[in-house]
Each structure stands twice: as C-alpha cells, then as structure tokens.
Amino acid sequence: MHKISKKEIPLPTLARLLSVYRLLDQYEQEKVASVSSTEIGARLGIKPDSIRKDVSYLGEVGNFGGGYEVVRLKAHIGTKLDLERGRKLCVIGLGPLGSAILNDADLRKRGFVIVAGFDSNINKIETITSSVELHPAHEIAEVVRRKSIDIGVIAVPGKAAQEAANRLVEGGVKGIINFTSCAVRTAPGVMVRTIDFLGECALLSTLMGLEDSGTNLKKL
Amino acid sequence: MHKISKKEIPLPTLARLLSVYRLLDQYEQEKVASVSSTEIGARLGIKPDSIRKDVSYLGEVGNFGGGYEVVRLKAHIGTKLDLERGRKLCVIGLGPLGSAILNDADLRKRGFVIVAGFDSNINKIETITSSVELHPAHEIAEVVRRKSIDIGVIAVPGKAAQEAANRLVEGGVKGIINFTSCAVRTAPGVMVRTIDFLGECALLSTLMGLEDSGTNLKKL
DNA sequence: TAATGTGAATCGTTTCACAGCG
DNA sequence: CGCTGTGAAACGATTCACATTA
C-alpha cells in the first residue's frame, strides 16, 4: 500500500478529512449504511465538490451513483491516515485551562491519553486532585523522555511558553499544542499548532467591524 | 479616511496584522522607538516580505531605510482596523472550560468584557463563584438582547452547540466562538470561528505520522 | 439516473525582485 | 546604503464541468 506523504495532501484537505472521519463515526453508530458527498458536505458546511476531491486524495472508494458506504469510507480514511494510533500527551501549566484539559473526557475517546501534568508552582501539584501524575516543571524533559510522550500541551502564561516548548523539545516530543498568543520556535521536525483564544476574539471582533462592501449574492 | 472592507484585505493578512499589533504593544511598553519588518518577522515567525505587504494594505506608514516607528505603526493599524473598540461577550456552558474562560484576565486587557454566563444546570449557576452574572440557559436570547452582547462563546458539549448558537443568534450576537468540534450554522452576517482542541490534536497526530518524503532543504 | 472521480480553469495568497525613498 | 512598498510571477487550494460508472 502506498504510504501518504505530507507533500501530496494539502493541509486543509487533511483537516477536513479528519472531521469527515468523526462524522462517519457518528453515522456508523446510528447504523447509517451509506452517505453521499452532498449529505456529508451539508452536515459539515463544506461543498460536496470539496468532499469528493478530499476523499479522492486517498484513492477511489465510493460507489458511482450510490454514494459512499459509511463503514468502508471510515476504514479507508482511518487506514490511510493511520488514525487509530494512540498518543501520549502531557499538559504544562495547571491553571484553570490546564486543569480543564487534564480532565477532558473526549480526548480519551479518540485515543489520546494524558500521562503527566506539570506546573512551576509546587502548591498546585499538591493541591490539585487528578488521576494524572503531576510533576514540578523542572522535571519536564526527564519525564517526557521516560514516558515517551508524543505531544505537549502548553497552557502557561505567554511569557513562559517558549521556555516550556524548549523543555518539551528537549524531552523529545514530536508535536506541541500552544494555547498561548505567543509564537514558539522549535527544532525542525517538531510540529506546532497554536490555539489562540484571545487572537480569535480579536479577529472576530475586527471582522465584525469591517464593511461588508457589496452584496454577496451571486445569483438571485 | 477610506474605510477598509472585508473584500480588500485577505483574512490571513488580517490575522497577522493583529499579532503585529500585539507585538507593537509590547515594544511600546519596552520603549523601543522603531522596528524593521525583519525584526517583527523574526519575532513572529513570519517572513519580512509578508509583514511589509500586510502593513501596506493599510497604506504607507514606514520610513524608507529606517523601519517603522513603533508608536506610529501601532496607531496606524489600530485606527484603520478600529481595534480599540470594546466588545461584550457571554459564555455558554459553565463546565471546567467555560469557567476558565469566565475568569480569564487577559480578555479584559484587550477590551473584551464578559457580561454574562449561562448553563442549563441550575445547580452550577448557584454554586459557581464569579463576578459575572450567571443565568439559566433558557434566558440566553433575552439577556443577550437586553445587554447588547456582541459575541457568544460556546463551551457546551458538542450536541448542544447548535442549539446554543440558535439562541445567541436569536438574541442578536454578531459573532460566535465555538469551542466544539461540531460545525454550527448561523444566519448570514453572524460570523463563527471554531476552536477545536480535539481536532487540533488529531491533526497534529496525523501530521506526525505522515512521511516527510524528501528533504525540505532548498539551499545548502 | 444519480452519484463519484478528476483534469482544467479559477481564485486567492505568498514570494520574488526591484524601483523608490530617506 | 538600508529598508519600505509594490507590481509581477509563482504557488496552492478551490471550484467547475464533465466523463465515468453502478
């Protein structure tokens, strides 16, 4: 089987494929047998064309005239993208946000397990009740290495983000989720995704303030 | 002055401009007088070319040969994009995530004020301690309208997201931040930004699993 | 007939390269 | 001379249109 590479599949396509996969999981539980690109698109707010092209990056799998078999398409995407693999995460920063993530039940359902939490404040480590092992921040690199943690989630104040990232990279993580508004630099090969709530608020607010300038109506 | 419209400024540019603005704020506090596109870019992980083009969407403001005056550029961006305007937010869903957002101090610093919180569980409303007014979920539309809330933050379980969005739109919000993995549909004119932690984890994990296929080295 | 799969056209963004200015 | 500002070229993703097939 041909192993897919980053180069041959656009990032937006990958992101959409993942949400299609989740949707298919729902359909599967609801015992739906088959769906069309139109139905999937309507449900996800994506054009059917796009769904079809996205799916076709992974090879043919649909039934001409009869849409996609739910089980088959799900398996197809899952296999090609190796989605059922588990990942070990850790959370750095145990403020309200970090604590919320620690106890997030949805992660587990998708194969993500949080195996450690860190904070520079020793009090918090002793106070917080959680099923996850908690450690002081200076042990990040060591624990990440020892437990072979794949992904680090940074939930510290902005100023401490780069330092946290450095320790994670030192420990050998291959991916980082950064909840800070601050850009973090890492070694090549370590992927970073930033989730910037404040930034999204600002973007939304700005968009709301700009002129619409002309109708968006294409056809009447 | 020419009022900028959504059509004439690309979304990615807008997002970058907002982070430039935040960076300038920092520089201003550090009493830095001027910066070049190269410095800004290095700090933000963006190419200098891009910074210059982004800035130039708003008109000329730099000093040829001498970079940008921090104060002037900040004012320029701030004015053109009307960034100092305040916005009223509300949070729907007072689980760990929603509660974390309620107490987020950074929002205030940027002109965002949370003026209401909602949950369908009456117990939570009575239990949670917060400076924000809390209401049962069935009052969403009414309170949003009465307080002229601009933005609704959805922090409920996925299944309840669409319903929450409907109530927000009914109340007249102009923007929604959706922390759910589920797509929400709204009336035209109401902007939605989705922050999907689980999705980001999945995307990161998948990217980590794909082949790099060939070096990325352009020049040696 | 009702859907998929896909080259080709289109659209939008980024990058390039250099003219212009202090 | 250094750095901005900007048309033009390159790139990447989306949309279109239609041939294809159960």
Side-chain angles (χ1 to χ4, degrees):
Chain A
M1 186 187 87
H2 171 64
K3 174 105 188 194
I4 309 247
S5 87
K6 283 173 196 169
K7 296 292 171 50
E8 54 194 298
I9 183 164
L11 192 61
T13 287
L14 192 52
R16 282 190 300 266
L17 245 15
L18 294 172
S19 44
V20 168
Y21 185 79
R22 275 194 303 221
L23 179 61
L24 290 169
D25 197 52
Q26 258 182 260
Y27 279 134
E28 198 179 30
Q29 280 164 37
E30 293 163 10
K31 308 286 186 211
V32 177
S34 91
V35 280
S36 68
S37 57
T38 312
E39 293 174 85
I40 296 175
R43 188 74 171 267
L44 260 29
I46 302 169
K47 300 200 166 169
D49 293 358
S50 223
I51 298 286
R52 292 206 301 282
K53 202 173 214 26
D54 290 344
V55 168
S56 77
Y57 276 102
L58 309 178
E60 296 194 14
V61 67
N63 304 306
F64 285 75
Y68 302 93
E69 277 175 55
V70 170
V71 175
R72 191 141 89 92
L73 179 54
K74 190 190 159 203
H76 187 68
I77 297 175
T79 309
K80 291 279 181 156
L81 298 180
D82 197 8
L83 295 185
E84 293 304 331
R85 164 219 303 273
R87 295 289 190 185
K88 290 194 241 177
L89 318 203
C90 69
V91 177
I92 308 193
L94 303 175
L97 175 62
S99 307
I101 295 169
L102 269 193
N103 300 314
D104 182 24
D106 288 349
L107 281 175
R108 274 212 134 71
K109 289 185 203 145
R110 287 275 157 237
F112 297 99
V113 192
I114 299 178
V115 299
F118 301 91
D119 200 292
S120 53
N121 182 343
I122 312 280
N123 272 357
K124 273 191 190 150
I125 295 171
E126 290 169 347
T127 309
I128 294 176
T129 315
S130 162
S131 54
V132 177
E133 261 186 40
L134 305 181
H135 304 266
H138 64 81
E139 292 176 7
I140 294 173
E142 188 256 308
V143 174
V144 166
R145 171 146 285 129
R146 178 156 48 81
K147 297 197 167 184
S148 319
I149 292 174
D150 303 293
I151 295 174
V153 178
I154 298 180
V156 299
K159 287 172 187 184
Q162 184 59 57
E163 180 60 19
N166 294 346
R167 295 293 145 268
L168 286 168
V169 172
E170 195 186 330
V173 298
K174 280 284 164 289
I176 290 176
I177 305 252
N178 170 27
F179 271 94
T180 282
S181 304
C182 300
V184 303
R185 292 165 299 279
T186 64
V190 178
M191 213 131 264
V192 181
R193 301 285 308 172
T194 296
I195 295 180
D196 179 5
F197 174 52
L198 196 54
E200 290 296 337
C201 286
L203 186 57
L204 193 56
S205 171
T206 308
L207 282 169
M208 286 161 52
L210 298 182
E211 301 284 312
D212 270 333
S213 110
T215 69
N216 284 345
L217 303 173
K218 296 208 169 150
K219 291 163 193 172
L220 200 74
Chain B
M1 187 185 88
H2 171 62
K3 174 104 189 195
I4 308 244
S5 89
K6 283 173 196 168
K7 296 290 170 49
E8 54 194 299
I9 183 165
L11 192 61
T13 287
L14 193 52
R16 283 191 300 265
L17 245 16
L18 294 172
S19 43
V20 168
Y21 185 79
R22 273 192 307 220
L23 179 60
L24 290 169
D25 197 51
Q26 257 182 261
Y27 279 134
E28 198 178 30
Q29 280 163 38
E30 295 164 9
K31 308 287 186 207
V32 177
S34 91
V35 279
S36 69
S37 58
T38 312
E39 293 173 84
I40 296 175
R43 188 74 171 267
L44 259 30
I46 302 169
K47 298 197 169 173
D49 292 0
S50 225
I51 298 288
R52 289 204 304 279
K53 202 175 214 26
D54 290 344
V55 168
S56 76
Y57 276 100
L58 308 178
E60 297 194 12
V61 66
N63 302 307
F64 287 76
Y68 302 93
E69 274 175 58
V70 170
V71 175
R72 191 141 90 92
L73 180 54
K74 190 191 159 203
H76 187 68
I77 298 175
T79 309
K80 291 281 181 156
L81 299 179
D82 197 9
L83 295 185
E84 294 304 331
R85 162 216 307 271
R87 295 289 190 186
K88 289 195 243 176
L89 318 204
C90 68
V91 177
I92 307 193
L94 303 176
L97 176 62
S99 306
I101 295 169
L102 269 194
N103 300 313
D104 182 24
D106 288 348
L107 281 176
R108 274 211 136 72
K109 288 186 205 146
R110 286 274 157 238
F112 298 99
V113 191
I114 299 178
V115 298
F118 302 91
D119 200 293
S120 52
N121 182 344
I122 313 277
N123 273 356
K124 274 191 190 152
I125 295 171
E126 290 169 348
T127 309
I128 293 177
T129 316
S130 162
S131 54
V132 177
E133 260 186 41
L134 305 181
H135 304 267
H138 64 83
E139 293 176 7
I140 294 173
E142 188 255 308
V143 174
V144 166
R145 171 146 286 128
R146 178 158 47 82
K147 297 198 167 185
S148 320
I149 292 174
D150 305 291
I151 295 175
V153 178
I154 299 182
V156 300
K159 287 171 188 185
Q162 184 60 56
E163 180 60 18
N166 294 346
R167 294 294 144 265
L168 286 168
V169 172
E170 196 186 330
V173 299
K174 280 283 163 291
I176 290 177
I177 305 252
N178 170 28
F179 272 94
T180 283
S181 305
C182 301
V184 304
R185 291 164 300 279
T186 63
V190 179
M191 211 132 265
V192 181
R193 300 284 309 172
T194 296
I195 294 181
D196 178 5
F197 175 52
L198 196 54
E200 290 294 338
C201 285
L203 186 57
L204 194 55
S205 170
T206 307
L207 282 169
M208 285 160 51
L210 298 182
E211 301 283 313
D212 270 335
S213 113
T215 69
N216 284 346
L217 303 174
K218 297 210 168 147
K219 292 168 192 171
L220 201 73

